[in-house]
Amino acid sequence: MGLEDRESMRILRDALDPALGSEDVIRDFHTRWFGLDLSARDLFPPDMTKQREVFGHALLWLCDELIAQRAEEPVSFLAQLGRDHRKYGVTQEHYASLQKALLDTLRSHLALRWDRRLGEAVNDVVELVVGVMSGAADAETAPPFYDGTVLEHLRPARDVSVIRLRLDHALPYLPGQYVPVQVPQWPRRWRYLSPAIPSDPNGYIEFHVRSVPGGMVSTAIVGEARPGDRWRLSNPHGAMHVDRDDGDVLMVAGSTGLAPLRTLIMDLARFGENPRVHLFFGARYPCELYDLRTLWEIASTNPWLSVTPVSELNTDPPWAVDYPSVAPPRGLHVRQTGRLPEVVTRYGSWSDRQILICGKPAMVQATKAALVAKGAPAERIRHDPLAS
Ligand SMILES: Cc1cc2nc3c(=O)[nH]c(=O)nc-3n(C[C@H](O)[C@H](O)[C@H](O)COP(=O)(O)OP(=O)(O)OC[C@H]3O[C@@H](n4cnc5c(N)ncnc54)[C@H](O)[C@@H]3O)c2cc1C
């Protein structure tokens, strides 16, 4: 029976449900794994809270999918996970110790209900996880990571950095995708960043980073990144794109959420004819609309692009006196004041548009909700995952 034994699969699923107290199972699993294989501990950051949460959720989702007899998505998810984990230096030996630790943990936590059938189901799930992940990692021929050197660190606003690097080898990615990044200030703390230019055959790449209050990696990048730093990037993810045959486009960017949309716009600029693209670029203060000059330059030679700057507040803060003015020459729409969801929907429902939203999770959710409330079809709205 194994994976087909729904009753046993439900017992396993419940043991992995955080709502039913699965934290102990996941914590115990990591303790056993690191006890069996000390080198596995070095793959992870010191604080394991996030890793535990992500691993627990992934296992729970996997069980739910298998119970619903959907195997295709879980298998491609696990394969992707296996390919991604190469960047941490995960080896086949790590998979062997992980398999033993996970099996031992589940057998011990399910001891009271353990029988031959449950044993088979648990064994099959663990084998599926380990087999697909390690098989996909083994079969992958692309490099696990791409190292590069910081060439330039610009600070167009207090909380925003533009970082330009040259990679030792070009990283292929599609416009609108994002990549995992590790910086020397925080080894083993990978974060997703979205390249702000299309993939370059000579390895040049640019990121726009906003420091979030209390954020570990973003504040270190904005405060400390310097030319010569060696960054490590890994393979791209994401499917945010513009369909050139699917009508006009609305883009909404909050702060450095501009990066992937700017890449898409730069990519579109290769073509003579495009759907009309209207971009709302928002920030808290006018001085934080850090990239208006580039947008102005693209819009001035590409009549399909129009840009509306939006700031929540109408005046700049006192610290802005130390920063260069970001206002571009006349040519863009007049700057609007207000929050993005309200300003964007003031112009209508945009229901005939393909809609791309990018920025901090709360802004993305609020803008999407406001657009849907006005009549935009939810299935026409695209955004990246809201958490990493
Ligand atoms: C698909 C994707 C693409 C991304 N692209 C970019 C990009 O191009 N440029 C960029 O600057 N950031 C981008 N991010 C966000 C980035 O990956 C980090 O999450 C962010 O920089 C915070 O990391 P941290 O280590 O500083 O904060 P952490 O130490 O991880 O978190 C500290 C606190 O900040 C909160 N927090 C985390 N992320 C955000 C956020 N985005 N906004 C507000 N609060 C947050 C957390 O909830 C937590 O309370 C992207 C995220 C995703 C999921």
Side-chain angles (χ1 to χ4, degrees):
M1 290 275 269
L3 296 178
E4 256 126 64
D5 177 0
R6 291 204 194 177
E7 204 184 309
S8 299
M9 287 295 295
R10 278 204 190 91
I11 297 174
L12 173 60
R13 183 235 171 262
D14 288 351
L16 295 167
D17 188 346
L20 304 173
S22 70
E23 288 85 357
D24 288 349
V25 181
I26 304 299
R27 188 174 290 109
D28 187 20
F29 154 68
H30 281 114
T31 309
R32 280 175 197 257
W33 189 22
F34 300 156
L36 263 178
D37 183 350
L38 205 54
S39 71
R41 182 66 189 96
D42 290 337
L43 304 173
F44 294 93
D47 174 15
M48 290 286 296
T49 315
K50 179 98 188 264
Q51 270 68 23
R52 277 200 293 267
E53 200 184 294
V54 171
F55 186 62
H57 274 113
L59 284 180
L60 178 66
W61 173 79
L62 177 68
C63 286
D64 282 335
E65 290 294 292
L66 293 173
I67 290 167
Q69 311 230 298
R70 288 189 294 256
E72 204 175 310
E73 236 188 283
V75 168
S76 61
F77 167 78
L78 288 169
Q80 184 62 43
L81 209 58
R83 286 190 289 270
D84 282 354
H85 273 62
R86 296 178 314 138
K87 70 175 183 281
Y88 300 121
V90 178
T91 61
Q92 294 297 326
E93 289 72 37
H94 291 129
Y95 281 113
S97 54
L98 179 152
Q99 180 161 11
K100 177 162 173 37
L102 191 51
L103 264 178
D104 289 352
T105 307
L106 292 170
R107 190 182 296 120
S108 128
H109 280 266
L110 292 166
L112 292 178
R113 311 192 65 175
W114 197 261
D115 58 14
R116 190 185 52 77
R117 280 179 52 187
L118 181 57
E120 269 177 24
V122 171
N123 203 43
D124 283 3
V125 170
V126 175
E127 255 179 24
L128 180 76
V129 171
V130 173
V132 176
M133 281 182 73
S134 63
D138 221 20
E140 179 61 58
T141 51
F145 45 74
Y146 297 75
D147 289 338
T149 306
V150 174
L151 302 176
E152 203 172 12
H153 178 180
L154 308 173
R155 286 283 295 277
R158 188 188 60 176
D159 300 331
V160 175
S161 287
V162 170
I163 310 274
R164 297 192 174 125
L165 301 103
R166 185 169 190 185
L167 303 174
D168 303 344
H169 303 284
L171 166 62
Y173 55 88
L174 297 172
Q177 286 195 301
Y178 53 93
V179 296
V181 174
Q182 180 190 238
V183 299
Q185 287 78 11
W186 278 110
R188 284 181 278 144
R189 307 270 183 183
W190 291 80
R191 294 290 184 274
Y192 290 131
L193 295 178
S194 310
I197 56 170
S199 178
D200 175 77
N202 295 310
Y204 291 104
I205 193 162
E206 172 173 323
F207 294 108
H208 297 176
V209 182
R210 189 175 62 87
S211 66
V212 304
M216 234 181 285
V217 176
S218 61
T219 49
I221 292 176
V222 173
E224 296 167 35
R226 60 179 60 88
D229 280 0
R230 296 282 289 166
W231 284 24
R232 176 162 286 182
L233 278 53
S234 191
N235 290 294
H237 298 266
M240 201 156 60
H241 66 282
V242 169
D243 185 342
R244 293 182 60 250
D245 299 320
D246 194 24
D248 292 341
V249 185
L250 167 68
M251 293 183 174
V252 186
S255 184
T256 53
L258 177 67
L261 303 181
R262 177 195 199 254
T263 304
L264 285 163
I265 289 170
M266 286 181 165
D267 184 61
L268 286 174
R270 293 187 299 129
F271 302 94
E273 275 185 36
N274 276 313
R276 281 182 304 157
V277 177
H278 195 116
L279 167 70
F280 286 85
F281 174 38
R284 187 163 163 75
Y285 298 109
C287 68
E288 289 178 319
L289 294 165
Y290 65 94
D291 206 31
L292 283 181
R293 176 165 271 276
T294 312
L295 298 171
W296 172 81
E297 277 169 10
I298 302 175
S300 60
T301 50
N302 291 280
W304 46 266
L305 176 66
S306 37
V307 179
T308 302
V310 181
S311 65
E312 268 177 51
L313 301 166
N314 209 10
T315 50
D316 281 333
W319 55 257
V321 290
D322 284 348
Y323 289 87
S325 165
V326 296
R330 283 169 65 84
L332 302 179
H333 287 268
V334 173
R335 179 173 54 78
Q336 302 292 305
T337 307
R339 293 173 63 249
L340 278 166
E342 281 89 54
V343 174
V344 172
T345 49
R346 238 184 254 159
Y347 291 75
S349 73
W350 303 94
S351 58
D352 58 339
R353 303 274 174 141
Q354 28 179 339
I355 301 174
L356 279 65
I357 313 176
C358 202
K360 65 179 179 190
M363 183 286 278
V364 173
Q365 273 160 335
T367 307
K368 184 175 178 178
L371 284 162
V372 170
K374 276 269 181 167
E379 64 278 8
R380 297 265 282 165
I381 302 179
R382 297 183 199 124
H383 56 80
D384 281 332
L386 297 179
S388 36

